[in-house]
């Protein structure tokens, strides 16, 4: 902007304002009423601008003697003067507008509080876009490509993954805007978080769970409205079938089975250290992780407690695929895998039984069968360790668990008091709860 206050690069500012008004809110000529306001006029009164650059305002109170009305308009617009209810003169003094006719709290029919940007609501509205961008980038293994090859141009990434350049560039920019990638003059590169959590071989990779979220959870939540109306899972709408068993959907093919196990492995590996160290478990000599899947938690336990012998007990089709997820290294402590159905078969003997992400999946009648069996085989002094996300007593936090419950499985998330009541019902006492700050909390209780 150059020149005096009345001119922008030689263009009369009052005419500029009038043209803006015509562009953004053209008034109907027969509806325009030339009113006098003790404030800057709203858009539909810009017709009152005179050719001399004078607004027909501030007529009853002499507010500015040295600045003409146009200069006041410019300064007011820049300083947000209208929200204060005072008009400023050239010597920085103020005068109250006694004839201001439009209440501040209801300007143009919109309350002042409602006119503020609802950033939280807007963030939630766009949340699905961000999730899908993450899902697609992960499925295309873009983070893997960037980890191996460093900064890359969009055209090179598109050639590697077999996608169109324009679509790839937009996806990369979206990931950069979400803080997943960095965009540099040399190209795109992973952030440290992307290398750790988003690459398929990252130390605490969530890649498996992200793919599970895209391929299984996304279709389910697309039918959330029906789930709420019917109060049931929407597998029949999402996948064209309705399984009697919660996990049968995951085991009907080798590909789907390994994808589901990778998802479970992601969460177990990320949370294992906090679960294993939530309580001092050194008093126990043997442990049995019921439904322990890939053994991620079991391997963490034997690292923390070298004298602890851990058995993973899970379905035969799960045990048959655990070799894909075993940690490498010569010093890895052994974990025993035993196949079976914990609802039907005898449980291995142990001093400590573990249920990690199990109880929230099943209805009360199944929980009754499982906890009754565990209670029956536990000797006095034996214990049960439960790893779940524990809700607050209002059941509104943490939101990750509250939102997960919308998948409408027959199970449910529970609060601290509900876990205490449930476990005491089956003969477990001294119920201790540790909120870890991770995705899973820990509950430890002892058999009478």
């Amino acid at each position: 902007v150059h020149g005096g206050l009345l001119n922008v690069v030689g263009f009369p500012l009052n005419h500029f304002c009038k043209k803006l008004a015509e562009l953004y809110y053209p008034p109907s000529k027969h509806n325009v009423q030339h009113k006098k306001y003790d404030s800057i006029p709203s858009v539909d009164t810009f017709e009152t601008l005179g050719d001399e650059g004078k607004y027909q305002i501030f007529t009853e109170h002499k507010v500015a003697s040295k600045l003409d009305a146009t200069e006041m308009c410019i300064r007011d617009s820049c300083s947000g003067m209208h929200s204060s209810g005072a008009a400023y003169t050239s010597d920085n003094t103020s005068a109250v507008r006694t004839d201001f006719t439009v209440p501040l709290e209801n300007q143009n029919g919109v309350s002042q509080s409602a006119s503020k940007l609802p950033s939280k609501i807007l963030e939630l509205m766009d949340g699905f876009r961000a999730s899908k961008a993450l899902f697609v980038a992960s499925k295309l293994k873009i983070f893997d490509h960037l980890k191996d090859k460093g900064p890359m141009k969009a055209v090179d990434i598109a050639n590697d993954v077999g996608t169109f350049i324009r679509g790839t560039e937009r996806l990369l920019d979206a990931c950069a805007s979400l803080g997943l990638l960095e965009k540099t003059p040399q190209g795109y590169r992973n952030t440290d978080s992307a290398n750790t959590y988003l690459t398929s071989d990252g130390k605490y990779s969530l890649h498996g769970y992200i793919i599970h979220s895209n391929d299984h959870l996304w279709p389910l939540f697309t039918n959330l409205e029906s789930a709420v109306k019917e109060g049931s899972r929407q597998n029949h709408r999402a996948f064209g079938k309705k399984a009697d068993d919660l996990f049968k959907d995951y085991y009907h093919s080798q590909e789907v089975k390994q994808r589901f196990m990778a998802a479970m492995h992601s969460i177990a590996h990320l949370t294992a250290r906090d679960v294993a160290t939530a309580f001092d478990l050194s008093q126990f000599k043997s442990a049995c992780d019921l439904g322990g899947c890939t053994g991620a938690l079991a391997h963490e336990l034997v690292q923390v407690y070298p004298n602890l012998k851990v058995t993973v007990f899970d379905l035969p089709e799960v045990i048959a695929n655990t070799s894909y997820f075993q940690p490498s290294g010569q010093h890895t402590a052994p974990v025993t895998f035993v196949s079976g159905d914990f609802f039907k078969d005898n449980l291995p003997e142990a001093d400590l039984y573990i249920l990690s992400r199990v109880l929230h999946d099943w209805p009360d009648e199944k929980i009754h069968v499982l906890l009754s069996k565990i209670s029956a085989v536990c000797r006095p002094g034996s214990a049960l360790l439960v790893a779940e996300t524990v809700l607050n007593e209002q059941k509104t936090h943490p939101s990750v668990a509250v939102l997960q419950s919308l998948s409408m499985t027959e199970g449910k998330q529970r609060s601290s008091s509900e876990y205490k009541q449930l476990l005491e019902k089956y003969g477990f006492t001294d119920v201790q709860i540790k909120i870890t700050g991770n995705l899973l909390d820990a509950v430890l209780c002892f058999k009478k």
Side-chain angles (χ1 to χ4, degrees), residues 68-128:
D68 66 16
T70 305
E71 183 175 352
M72 282 297 298
C73 180
I74 296 168
R75 292 192 176 183
D76 293 349
S77 298
C78 294
S79 65
M81 180 267 290
H82 294 314
S83 62
S84 68
Y88 292 85
T89 63
S90 59
D91 57 358
N92 293 326
T93 61
S94 63
V96 177
R97 305 181 192 137
T98 58
D99 62 344
F100 191 72
T101 57
V102 182
L104 285 176
E105 66 272 14
N106 194 28
Q107 294 181 0
N108 295 327
V110 179
S111 68
Q112 192 175 41
S113 61
S115 64
K116 295 179 181 178
L117 187 66
S119 56
K120 180 63 176 179
I121 295 176
L122 292 174
E123 182 182 347
L124 293 173
M125 288 170 57
D126 272 348
F128 76 97

Side-chain angles (χ1 to χ4, degrees), residues 134 138 141 143-144 147 192-211 259 261-271 294 296 325 439:
L134 170 62
S138 297
K141 290 197 170 183
F143 304 107
D144 283 26
K147 181 180 181 179
D192 291 340
S193 292
N195 282 330
T196 302
Y197 301 107
L198 300 182
T199 56
S200 60
D201 61 348
K203 183 177 181 181
Y204 296 104
S205 175
L206 287 169
H207 184 266
Y209 196 79
I210 290 171
I211 300 303
R259 185 177 67 203
M261 291 179 65
M264 298 303 100
H265 184 80
S266 293
I267 299 300
H269 188 54
L270 182 66
T271 58
T294 65
F325 303 94
L439 292 176

